Amino acid sequence: ILLTAAGVLVEATGHVELLAEKAKQLERLEHDGDQVTHDIMARLNRTFITALDREDIHQLASALDDVLDLVEATTEQFILYKITSIAPAAQQLAQVIQHQVQEIQKMIPKLRHMRHAPIMEHCIEINRLENVGDRLLRDSIGALFDGTPDPLLVIKWRDIYMLLESATDKCEDVANVVEAIVLKNA
């Protein structure tokens, strides 16, 4: 679900004319993600023995849900602020998120084997991408103040950039949770 959502976010930022449609699609995906998270929590409560510590499963599911929530919140913000053209920095941040989510998607199945090195490759890449997101945030917010900007546009875009960058932070949180699980169980 998260991988699909990241792709929809990239499509939304690449085609402003599809923004309303993509926002609705992301809303549905976010609800689907909430249902999966709820199902995981319900199963945790019913299961006596789990492959991983209950707290780790809970933390990982919550971290993944946090990423999905921020992806969906971004398109809500676009609609709320009546954005009619997407800034290149927003498109770049959406692509960073998509790349991070692709790394997460490759990393999670490797938890079955609990081998540190193969998982760490993905954690390192997710962290590198988060640093790219930080740089994009700084540069894009700095650019908002070039010339004599419209204060409302500055506020709108600052909020959007910060949501997008927060999603990159949450992807890094997922990597940190996975790394902690591996260190505990390896």
Side-chain angles (χ1 to χ4, degrees):
I1 293 170
L2 184 55
L3 188 62
T4 300
V8 172
L9 178 64
V10 168
E11 290 173 21
T13 59
H15 303 281
V16 73
E17 69 278 4
L18 300 176
L19 196 53
E21 172 190 334
K22 297 301 176 184
K24 287 180 184 179
Q25 188 178 356
L26 276 169
E27 184 178 3
R28 286 189 302 273
L29 287 167
E30 194 274 332
H31 289 303
D32 292 346
D34 284 345
Q35 185 59 52
V36 169
T37 302
H38 174 74
D39 292 346
I40 289 169
M41 301 311 164
R43 285 182 182 180
L44 277 176
N45 287 331
R46 291 191 315 263
T47 305
F48 184 67
I49 298 174
T50 58
L52 302 172
D53 288 345
R54 292 176 191 288
E55 297 81 17
D56 292 338
I57 295 169
H58 181 275
Q59 195 173 17
L60 181 57
S62 295
L64 290 164
D65 185 59
D66 289 346
V67 176
L68 186 56
D69 289 345
L70 287 169
V71 166
E72 191 260 341
T74 300
T75 55
E76 283 183 8
Q77 204 79 350
F78 282 133
I79 301 299
L80 178 69
Y81 286 163
K82 297 175 179 39
I83 299 298
T84 57
S85 66
I86 307 293
Q91 294 171 342
Q92 292 169 334
L93 280 162
Q95 290 168 353
V96 167
I97 293 164
Q98 184 180 41
H99 292 307
Q100 286 180 302
V101 170
Q102 289 167 343
E103 290 297 318
I104 290 169
Q105 193 259 346
K106 293 174 193 170
M107 176 178 62
I108 297 294
K110 293 180 180 181
L111 279 173
R112 287 188 183 125
H113 306 293
M114 286 296 170
R115 294 206 173 98
H116 189 261
I119 290 173
M120 281 308 298
E121 293 172 15
H122 300 292
C123 292
I124 290 167
E125 180 61 8
I126 291 166
N127 181 273
R128 185 192 72 76
L129 289 164
E130 190 277 332
N131 291 333
V132 170
D134 287 344
R135 184 177 34 75
L136 283 167
L137 175 67
R138 283 190 303 273
D139 293 348
S140 58
I141 288 181
L144 289 173
F145 294 96
D146 289 346
T148 53
D150 176 346
L152 288 178
L153 283 177
V154 169
I155 292 168
K156 289 177 182 183
W157 280 106
R158 185 204 60 207
D159 289 354
I160 291 169
Y161 291 146
M162 291 183 76
L163 270 175
L164 288 163
E165 195 280 328
S166 292
T168 70
D169 291 341
K170 292 298 181 181
C171 287
E172 184 178 40
D173 290 350
V174 170
N176 292 339
V177 168
V178 169
E179 182 178 5
I181 290 169
V182 172
L183 289 174
K184 186 189 302 185
N185 292 286

